[in-house]
Amino acid sequence: MTVRQDVHSVGIPVLCQSCEARHRGVCGALDPDQLVGLAKISSKQTIEPGVELIGDAETVDSYSNVLSGVVKLTKSLSDGRQQIVGLQFAPDFLGRPFKVESAINAEAATAVSLCSFPRASIERMIRESPELEHRLLKQTLNELDEAREWMVTLGRKTAAEKVASFLLMIARNIDPALDPATNTTSFELPLTRADIADFLGLTIETVSRQLTRLRTDGLIRIENNRHVTVTSLKRLASRSGA
Amino acid sequence: MTVRQDVHSVGIPVLCQSCEARHRGVCGALDPDQLVGLAKISSKQTIEPGVELIGDAETVDSYSNVLSGVVKLTKSLSDGRQQIVGLQFAPDFLGRPFKVESAINAEAATAVSLCSFPRASIERMIRESPELEHRLLKQTLNELDEAREWMVTLGRKTAAEKVASFLLMIARNIDPALDPATNTTSFELPLTRADIADFLGLTIETVSRQLTRLRTDGLIRIENNRHVTVTSLKRLASRSGA
DNA sequence: CGTTATATTGACAAGCTTCAAACACCGTGG
DNA sequence: CCACGGTGTTTGAAGCTTGTCAATATAACG
């Protein structure tokens, strides 16, 4: 028992021992030596909801792994209209390699903890480790798939379908093994109504109306604004457009 | 002169000599030996507009470079509503590595010429050549940037802004060096009104109305439905939301 | 317990879609 | 040569979904 543990954790920095990014995230590409090197220059930090992590047109000099919480990626038009273009959950990699200027904003949607490292070091490691680049490519391809999935939602679904799709996406994210046959799940919404509206290309009022409709129709229950219980996953899915 | 040419073209397969993908596309990552190997198993083909290249939920066993023309990537809802989630121009790489099942449709929007190679070979080459994977990562990141840009358009812009944005995107794609100070450009639309509607999340009628509005307002001229002349790039840009 | 942020609800207006019809372009065949 | 059908586009009128503005309710917080 102790032997097995030693085999797996020998040379692994304390910081990384229980880190999810080492398993499912990009750090899984690194060998113990690289991990030690990276751990030396990386720092864990906790961020309050609403705090801006990366500003539009700012130069980015650090990348991060999301360890917990939800980060929203947003883009804005000159007159203030805003659109959320991505949500990042643990253990996603946060940052846009190979570009000094960010074209998007990143903001903590909930309380977030990050593991950050300097830009230069991670880009050097990418050059040295093809496996790291491979993981990045895979995550980027997944993000592209998600973005395209949401383009369909934004362009072609009704408000009712958008809200149902959003709830399903969150439910699946909280519990990836969610069986479509099960009827009931329950979770905390990581976003405010305003955020949900920015995510779905709707107004706060329309989001609210669609949620109350789902509530009065008996598909969901809502407590304290944020806690949602889906009482009929099947009926919810049938309203998501698919 | 001839010496210089020889230096550059020695060992380069005839098929690839004048190919744009060798310069700006993924093939630029390959050395002459790899290029010869790939050229042996690749084939050039021409495709008519409207022909489906990759069907939804089909298993993909070949990848391609787009050599000319425009390929539209679409996703559909069960009831037939459709959304274009990407446009691919030369010399884009066409295909979704590391996934056997395609979740999207690819269809020739115009006449298209492709250079195709078997899935297995390209995936082997990716494993062997980090530089190839690097190029793929860069293209994927660019596609992700574009997708997110269009999410803002789909979610937050008005019909008028959407159409203006679309025209600007096409103009910039035809002439990447397009100076915002110049007033006039002219190009062939690679998409029908129906395609434009599917791209912008609108109906054919709304697209048509917005185009005639731009026409009667003197920002553009349209000949034969497809040929567009922008007469005031600045005014068009000011209507794109930005 | 008052104060502020967040969410809900209602009435009305606007924008986009829907449905319908006319128009333009193009190749075919009489 | 012109009538004809086909496809793609434009235009019009009406209706519905969503946005806007305003008021109220609920929750969060000192």
Side-chain angles (χ1 to χ4, degrees):
Chain A
M1 195 55 168
T2 54
V3 176
R4 271 192 73 85
Q5 267 196 329
D6 285 344
V7 168
H8 281 288
S9 60
V10 68
I12 306 285
V14 185
L15 188 67
C16 310
Q17 296 253 5
S18 65
C19 179
E20 214 183 341
R22 192 164 62 86
H23 300 294
R24 298 192 297 124
V26 288
C27 291
L30 305 174
D31 60 38
D33 279 357
Q34 294 174 304
L35 218 46
V36 169
L38 188 57
K40 268 195 202 121
I41 52 172
S42 60
S43 63
K44 230 169 134 175
Q45 49 182 315
T46 314
I47 285 126
E48 293 299 298
V51 173
E52 186 177 75
L53 303 172
I54 306 170
D56 190 8
E58 257 176 41
T59 65
V60 180
D61 46 27
S62 78
Y63 293 139
S64 309
N65 279 315
V66 179
L67 303 184
S68 72
V70 179
V71 174
K72 54 180 187 181
L73 307 177
T74 68
K75 286 175 81 81
S76 297
L77 300 177
S78 47
D79 64 358
R81 280 173 289 175
Q82 201 174 53
Q83 176 67 44
I84 293 182
V85 296
L87 292 176
Q88 311 238 255
F89 302 84
D92 288 345
F93 179 82
L94 181 62
R96 168 66 167 88
F98 318 130
K99 256 202 179 162
V100 278
E101 283 242 330
S102 165
I104 63 179
N105 273 63
E107 189 184 317
T110 64
V112 167
S113 71
L114 295 180
C115 180
S116 309
F117 12 80
R119 205 172 91 85
S121 341
I122 202 73
E123 294 199 341
R124 179 173 40 75
M125 285 185 129
I126 289 175
R127 280 192 296 276
E128 287 167 5
S129 165
E131 173 63 16
L132 185 56
E133 188 148 58
H134 184 68
R135 296 242 180 172
L136 274 178
L137 176 56
K138 274 174 109 168
Q139 174 179 324
T140 306
L141 284 166
N142 281 333
E143 283 183 36
L144 185 57
D145 285 347
E146 279 169 33
R148 286 175 170 166
E149 190 65 43
W150 279 108
M151 288 176 77
V152 182
T153 303
L154 288 172
R156 288 303 185 200
K157 290 191 185 174
T158 65
E161 291 169 336
K162 285 180 178 181
V163 172
S165 302
F166 171 75
L167 292 177
L168 284 172
M169 190 225 62
I170 296 296
R172 275 195 277 261
N173 201 293
I174 302 286
D175 179 8
L178 187 60
D179 183 354
T182 58
N183 252 335
T184 175
T185 348
S186 167
F187 50 86
E188 294 294 315
L189 282 179
L191 302 184
T192 64
R193 300 292 186 272
D195 284 338
I196 299 173
D198 281 349
F199 190 67
L200 298 175
L202 299 170
T203 59
I204 298 180
E205 294 92 330
T206 302
V207 171
S208 180
R209 276 185 252 269
Q210 297 303 333
L211 284 174
T212 58
R213 187 132 184 280
L214 290 174
R215 190 153 38 79
T216 56
D217 288 1
L219 305 213
I220 61 172
R221 268 181 296 140
I222 302 181
E223 286 140 46
N224 298 333
N225 286 338
R226 292 291 194 109
H227 188 84
V228 175
T229 305
V230 180
T231 49
S232 175
L233 212 50
K234 234 175 97 182
R235 287 216 289 154
L236 189 62
S238 76
R239 292 202 189 185
S240 72
Chain B
M1 197 53 167
T2 53
V3 176
R4 271 192 71 85
Q5 267 194 330
D6 285 345
V7 169
H8 281 289
S9 60
V10 66
I12 306 285
V14 186
L15 188 67
C16 310
Q17 296 253 3
S18 65
C19 179
E20 215 183 340
R22 192 166 60 86
H23 300 294
R24 298 193 296 122
V26 289
C27 291
L30 304 174
D31 61 38
D33 279 357
Q34 295 174 303
L35 217 47
V36 169
L38 187 58
K40 268 195 203 121
I41 52 173
S42 61
S43 63
K44 231 168 132 172
Q45 49 182 317
T46 313
I47 285 125
E48 293 298 299
V51 173
E52 187 178 75
L53 303 172
I54 306 170
D56 190 9
E58 257 176 40
T59 65
V60 180
D61 47 26
S62 80
Y63 294 139
S64 309
N65 279 315
V66 179
L67 304 183
S68 71
V70 179
V71 175
K72 55 179 187 181
L73 307 177
T74 69
K75 286 176 82 83
S76 297
L77 300 178
S78 47
D79 63 359
R81 281 174 288 175
Q82 202 174 52
Q83 174 69 43
I84 294 183
V85 297
L87 292 176
Q88 310 238 251
F89 302 84
D92 288 345
F93 179 81
L94 182 62
R96 168 66 166 88
F98 318 129
K99 255 203 181 162
V100 278
E101 283 241 330
S102 165
I104 64 180
N105 273 62
E107 188 184 318
T110 65
V112 167
S113 72
L114 293 180
C115 181
S116 309
F117 12 78
R119 203 172 91 86
S121 342
I122 203 72
E123 294 199 340
R124 181 172 39 75
M125 285 184 130
I126 289 177
R127 279 193 296 275
E128 287 167 4
S129 164
E131 173 63 16
L132 185 57
E133 188 148 58
H134 184 68
R135 296 242 179 173
L136 274 178
L137 176 56
K138 272 173 111 169
Q139 173 178 324
T140 307
L141 284 166
N142 281 333
E143 283 183 37
L144 184 57
D145 286 346
E146 279 169 33
R148 287 176 169 166
E149 190 66 43
W150 281 108
M151 287 176 78
V152 181
T153 302
L154 289 171
R156 287 306 185 198
K157 290 190 186 175
T158 65
E161 291 170 335
K162 284 180 179 181
V163 172
S165 302
F166 172 75
L167 292 177
L168 284 172
M169 190 225 59
I170 296 297
R172 276 196 276 261
N173 201 293
I174 303 287
D175 178 8
L178 187 59
D179 184 355
T182 59
N183 253 335
T184 176
T185 347
S186 167
F187 51 86
E188 294 293 315
L189 282 178
L191 302 184
T192 64
R193 301 291 185 273
D195 284 338
I196 299 174
D198 281 349
F199 190 67
L200 298 175
L202 300 169
T203 59
I204 298 181
E205 294 93 328
T206 301
V207 171
S208 180
R209 277 184 250 271
Q210 297 302 334
L211 284 174
T212 58
R213 186 129 184 281
L214 290 174
R215 189 153 38 76
T216 56
D217 288 0
L219 306 213
I220 62 173
R221 268 180 296 140
I222 302 180
E223 285 140 48
N224 298 333
N225 285 341
R226 291 292 194 108
H227 188 84
V228 175
T229 305
V230 179
T231 49
S232 176
L233 211 51
K234 233 175 97 183
R235 287 217 287 153
L236 188 63
S238 76
R239 291 202 190 185
S240 73

